[in-house]
Amino acid sequence: MASIEEKVEEHYKKILDELGIRHYGKTESINRTITDALRSADSKSGGSGNNYPDIQLLLENKTARRIPVMIEAKGLKNRLEKISKSGQIELITYYEKDSKRKDGTIQHHAGDANYSSIMNYAVNGAVHYANAILDSRGYTEVIAIGINGTQMNADGSVQDAECRAYYISEKNNRVPKHIPELDKEWSLLKADNLDRFFAMLDKMTLTEKELEDLRQRTETALETKIKSIHQSLYDDPKLRTALTTNEKLYLFCGLIMVGLTTKGVAPLDVNQFTGNDDQEDNDSTIIITRIRSFLKKKKCGDDKIRMILDLLQPVFKKETLWRPVNGESILKSLFKQVKQDIIPCLESNLHLDFTGKILNSLGDWVHIENDRENDVVLTPRYVTTLMAKLARTNMDSFVWDRAMGSAGFLVSAMDIMIKDAQAKIHDQKELEKKITNIKEHQLLGVEILGNIYILAVLNMILMGDGSSNIYNGDGHDYNNETGKFPATVFLLNPPYSADGKGFNFVQEALEKMTSGYACILIQENAGSGNGLPYTKKILEKNTLCASVHMSDIFCGKSSVQTAIYVFQVARPHEVDDMVIFIDFSNDGYARQNRKKSSQEVNLRDADHAAERYAEVEAIVLGKKPRTQYYTEENGLVIRDTVSLNGNDWTFAQHKVIDTMPTEEDFRKTVADYLAWKVSQAIKGDGGYGV
């Protein structure tokens, strides 16, 4: 069947003409910004050719808000749009499994551009053009429209014209939001209707499910790309032994810093690497200079800048990295990969523990060198988020972590605090002021390991300069002077090799708080006596609210059984206080420990994991759950008291096993016995009748 693409294009151009809407054709230019953006992006086939949208518009309302519209036409059956199995407009092909190269090494796939879908489907092509414009940073929002048809009337018009429109914006992390009103007719694009139309677009925000799906896709892509780059380091014989694990961490951090877009500092471009073969003037000096500028623009103090540079400079000054081979240094080739694959994952407002993902990805290959007790096990994001919610975190909370690792708890808390502020504060200036205060003054973390500390600093910088209260030192030595940091939320996954399995950190921190809640992820048997004397001391001034027996959340990274303990601060526990005990061993996730596989492979939502986590949150916070996976009737929730001795906090210690046989037990036993007698009689083995 021949395509009627040109007729479809003419059909919709006629509609625009009738509405009095100015439009531009394939070879016409709206303005230099849009033209350059389309020219510099990969073509629809993945090559270096230009991009030519069939129809282009530029909407502009009375306040000079401008939104480009990219329209792509097709003229064949079922060519309007291609949707992936996950329900996304298919621009990328995702792989469930890694593949093996001919030499036996592993090729990690986060997803490759699906140029077939981009070329052959109208919506997919239009979204490709929209992303090209957003990449140029000249615009932060674009509308993508796909049009199609297969049949013509006798007069040459299109009989079955169809349209699908999407709003794509940076505020929504480029997740396309469907505009159903434009599918039917385009009068909203008229100049007189643009204010109303733009107001509609402003209400199009991502749902919590869409945000979570996007987080998971971004995390998976980031993890896979990091592993791919690490594999390239390992495959190079010169680098395999030249870089330690710590140095790989520093290498990643430095390359990320110089690649990020920062106000006042243009991101480093690949073309700026000179490839000079000189000890004093080479690609490493370019990077170190740019790192210093980056940290200053992020308002890091002199001590912090000095410490970070002391860690990074020896790595970047390694001659193997900066000395050019055939005109190009290893630093330049690595930066190309980071710029192309890592930076796009980081420049979002998703508030993820990105550097924790880097640490875990490298930790899958080799243990962290100065982790003598094997204590560096980073808490998964879905657990840090749950714990921040269980501690009643809101926009006015002051959150601290005295053994913060890569700052995963602080990142999750920040995300909750900002969302709470966005929901409650409607004045834009007041909201911006509050968010700045949250990032700069309402979060505090302490980390003793220097190589992990630098990850925390980078993590908080990525969140928008939340590094003001991030300290390198021993959490025991940090003195929270009265009024210096009025902590109301304490979140912690302590080193289990510490005294009381880590409860010494908890007891010390709670002594310095005057109100609020604490949520601790710790080896569960710390609550059955191994956390003494600290657990007993904690109850003297704080109330144990809940004990949650966790699933195998550290699958393959740690073999300990963990529990979450929730406390109300500064209220002594009374002997008749009821504590909520929950068996959360089945949390809905299926886990594997395939070291070089992606998160999608190793962590899979097999049985309503999101709903199960929401239910546990509701139970602990005293709210009505929407689901009934964990109830007193099925024995997975127990409400009971604890002693004041601090040694009976685990779910198992409060689970009552009823040994009294019931009438049903008796009936089953008799039935089993009679069945056995019958089988014996049939076989002739028993010699008895029945």
Side-chain angles (χ1 to χ4, degrees):
M1 180 179 177
S3 172
I4 63 166
E5 181 175 322
E6 289 187 6
K7 292 297 182 181
V8 171
E9 186 179 331
E10 290 174 6
H11 173 83
Y12 279 97
K13 283 182 176 178
K14 184 178 179 182
I15 291 175
L16 292 170
D17 289 336
E18 291 172 351
L19 292 171
I21 298 172
R22 175 78 166 93
H23 56 85
Y24 299 80
K26 293 184 182 68
T27 58
E28 294 181 281
S29 174
I30 296 179
N31 58 41
R32 175 59 68 85
T33 299
I34 294 174
T35 300
D36 288 348
L38 294 171
R39 182 181 294 126
S40 60
D42 287 345
S43 69
K44 290 193 299 179
S45 61
S48 58
N50 209 337
N51 289 283
Y52 299 102
D54 291 317
I55 306 173
Q56 305 174 65
L57 313 177
L58 184 63
L59 308 180
E60 182 174 359
N61 71 350
K62 297 171 185 176
T63 60
R65 177 179 175 182
R66 301 178 181 93
I67 303 179
V69 181
M70 298 292 108
I71 304 174
E72 182 71 355
K74 295 298 174 189
L76 291 170
K77 187 176 181 181
N78 299 324
R79 290 298 178 89
L80 181 62
E81 65 179 344
K82 178 71 177 295
I83 302 297
S84 68
K85 292 180 180 178
S86 61
Q88 309 299 317
I89 296 170
E90 190 170 83
L91 303 176
I92 293 174
T93 299
Y94 288 94
Y95 301 87
E96 293 185 1
K97 297 181 180 179
D98 299 330
S99 62
K100 186 174 286 188
R101 301 187 184 97
K102 291 181 180 179
D103 62 1
T105 58
I106 301 297
Q107 173 68 49
H108 302 288
H109 295 286
D112 299 324
N114 190 323
Y115 292 112
S116 174
S117 295
I118 293 170
M119 284 192 299
N120 294 317
Y121 294 88
V123 166
N124 304 59
V127 173
H128 169 77
Y129 298 140
N131 283 328
I133 292 172
L134 294 175
D135 286 341
S136 73
R137 302 185 185 279
Y139 295 89
T140 60
E141 52 188 347
V142 185
I143 293 170
I145 302 177
I147 54 179
N148 189 41
T150 60
Q151 297 182 32
M152 292 189 298
N153 295 313
D155 61 359
S157 61
V158 179
Q159 187 180 68
D160 59 345
E162 56 181 348
C163 166
R164 189 93 169 164
Y166 291 91
Y167 174 58
I168 304 171
S169 64
E170 296 292 7
K171 75 173 183 181
N172 284 334
N173 291 283
R174 302 196 187 187
V175 175
K177 297 292 290 183
H178 182 212
I179 314 173
E181 293 82 1
L182 289 185
D183 292 352
K184 301 170 185 177
E185 51 93 23
W186 287 2
S187 62
L188 279 171
L189 303 180
K190 292 176 63 175
D192 292 344
N193 296 331
L194 287 183
D195 286 336
R196 182 163 64 93
F197 179 50
F198 287 0
M200 289 170 51
L201 298 181
D202 290 337
K203 295 178 182 178
M204 290 184 172
T205 56
L206 298 185
T207 65
E208 279 301 315
K209 185 180 186 308
E210 287 174 324
L211 274 172
E212 183 57 30
D213 289 345
L214 179 60
R215 285 191 186 101
Q216 291 180 2
R217 292 198 304 275
T218 305
E219 282 185 336
T220 298
L222 177 65
E223 177 187 54
T224 306
K225 296 299 186 183
I226 291 169
K227 288 182 177 180
S228 180
I229 296 174
H230 190 199
Q231 179 72 58
S232 67
L233 295 176
Y234 184 81
D235 289 343
D236 189 323
K238 291 184 297 184
L239 294 178
R240 191 175 302 158
T241 56
L243 294 172
T244 66
T245 302
N246 281 344
E247 288 172 337
K248 290 174 186 174
L249 291 174
Y250 303 152
L251 182 63
F252 269 107
C253 289
L255 292 175
I256 287 170
M257 287 180 188
V258 298
L260 288 169
T261 300
T262 310
K263 188 175 182 180
V265 182
L268 190 63
D269 189 80
V270 174
N271 296 326
Q272 293 175 269
F273 284 81
T274 61
N276 286 351
D277 191 356
D278 184 88
Q279 290 281 353
E280 302 298 326
D281 180 15
N282 52 57
D283 287 348
S284 74
T285 55
I286 293 172
I287 290 177
I288 291 168
T289 300
R290 194 59 69 96
I291 289 173
R292 185 181 288 108
S293 299
F294 173 86
L295 294 172
K296 285 183 177 179
K297 287 297 181 181
K298 287 297 185 180
K299 302 178 182 178
C300 290
D302 290 340
D303 290 344
K304 207 165 284 182
I305 293 174
R306 193 178 306 112
M307 178 198 172
I308 292 174
L309 288 176
D310 285 345
L311 290 171
L312 298 187
Q313 284 187 110
V315 179
F316 285 96
K317 286 185 176 180
K318 283 180 177 281
E319 189 171 328
T320 305
L321 294 176
W322 63 257
R323 189 172 292 282
V325 177
N326 297 325
E328 184 168 299
S329 68
I330 290 174
L331 284 177
K332 181 176 181 178
S333 61
L334 286 174
F335 181 73
K336 281 182 186 176
Q337 290 179 275
V338 169
K339 184 81 170 177
Q340 177 180 320
D341 296 335
I342 307 297
I343 298 299
C345 296
L346 303 184
E347 293 188 329
S348 71
N349 57 0
L350 293 177
H351 300 150
L352 301 181
D353 179 8
F354 290 116
T355 58
K357 188 63 67 178
I358 294 174
L359 181 59
N360 271 346
S361 296
L362 299 186
D364 282 344
W365 295 63
V366 61
H367 290 299
I368 306 305
E369 292 147 19
N370 54 348
D371 175 26
R372 290 188 294 272
E373 302 292 344
N374 194 26
D375 277 336
V376 180
V377 182
L378 302 184
T379 312
R381 178 181 52 78
Y382 57 91
V383 176
T384 61
T385 299
L386 171 68
M387 291 174 61
K389 291 178 178 178
L390 296 184
R392 280 82 166 171
T393 304
N394 60 40
M395 70 176 191
D396 295 321
S397 297
F398 284 79
V399 183
W400 68 331
D401 181 346
R402 287 160 58 93
M404 67 179 170
S406 65
F409 281 112
L410 300 183
V411 171
S412 289
M414 181 195 294
D415 184 44
I416 292 171
M417 295 164 79
I418 290 174
K419 286 178 180 175
D420 187 46
Q422 290 170 336
K424 294 176 179 176
I425 301 175
H426 302 295
D427 181 80
Q428 188 61 32
K429 287 187 177 179
E430 285 299 312
L431 176 61
E432 291 173 1
K433 182 179 178 182
K434 180 61 177 177
I435 290 175
T436 298
N437 194 67
I438 288 171
K439 292 179 177 180
E440 295 184 359
H441 302 293
Q442 292 178 231
L443 299 159
L444 184 148
V446 185
E447 173 55 46
I448 192 170
L449 297 180
N451 57 325
I452 309 302
Y453 168 75
I454 189 176
L455 291 178
V457 171
L458 179 58
N459 230 351
M460 301 309 287
I461 286 174
L462 289 172
M463 299 303 108
D465 191 19
S467 64
S468 302
N469 292 312
I470 304 297
Y471 300 102
N472 179 220
D474 191 334
H476 297 300
D477 297 334
Y478 178 78
N479 181 24
N480 180 32
E481 299 171 5
T482 303
K484 184 176 181 181
F485 189 82
T488 58
V489 170
F490 180 54
L491 302 170
L492 184 71
N493 174 12
Y496 304 154
S497 61
D499 290 348
K501 298 290 185 179
F503 259 121
N504 57 336
F505 281 90
V506 182
Q507 194 259 329
E508 288 175 3
L510 299 190
E511 286 283 342
K512 303 178 190 304
M513 295 175 66
T514 58
S515 64
Y517 288 86
C519 195
I520 314 303
L521 177 70
I522 200 166
Q523 193 166 338
E524 187 172 35
N525 62 18
S528 60
N530 289 305
L532 292 171
Y534 306 102
T535 48
K536 183 177 181 180
K537 290 181 180 178
I538 287 171
L539 292 184
E540 292 173 2
K541 297 182 179 180
N542 309 278
T543 301
L544 177 65
C545 301
S547 167
V548 183
H549 173 78
M550 296 299 287
S551 182
D552 184 15
I553 59 173
F554 296 127
C555 178
K557 298 181 183 297
S558 177
S559 59
V560 299
Q561 173 59 55
T562 59
I564 289 175
Y565 295 118
V566 183
F567 302 92
Q568 182 180 352
V569 178
R571 178 194 178 276
H573 194 101
E574 298 176 1
V575 71
D576 57 350
D577 283 331
M578 298 297 286
V579 179
I580 299 171
F581 297 87
I582 303 174
D583 181 357
F584 197 31
S585 55
N586 179 7
D587 66 353
Y589 283 115
R591 297 174 175 86
Q592 296 186 83
N593 180 31
R594 296 172 58 185
K595 288 190 177 294
K596 295 183 182 179
S597 292
S598 67
Q599 176 177 278
E600 282 184 325
V601 174
N602 284 336
L603 183 70
R604 183 169 52 85
D605 186 343
D607 187 11
H608 302 90
E611 291 82 358
R612 289 173 180 270
Y613 274 78
E615 182 177 332
V616 168
E617 176 192 342
I619 293 170
V620 172
L621 297 182
K623 298 179 180 179
K624 183 178 180 180
R626 295 183 179 181
T627 53
Q628 297 291 314
Y629 293 109
Y630 311 97
T631 65
E632 293 184 55
E633 288 72 23
N634 63 21
L636 298 180
V637 175
I638 299 170
R639 288 174 169 81
D640 198 4
T641 59
V642 296
S643 74
L644 300 182
N645 296 321
N647 61 357
D648 60 343
W649 294 2
T650 70
F651 179 90
Q653 289 172 290
H654 295 265
K655 185 175 182 179
V656 178
I657 300 175
D658 188 0
T659 58
M660 179 69 71
T662 64
E663 182 178 342
E664 183 58 33
D665 293 330
F666 175 74
R667 290 177 183 275
K668 186 176 185 304
T669 301
V670 171
D672 290 344
Y673 173 74
L674 291 176
W676 176 78
K677 290 290 287 182
V678 169
S679 68
Q680 293 298 94
I682 292 173
K683 292 178 182 178
D685 295 337
Y688 301 103
V690 292

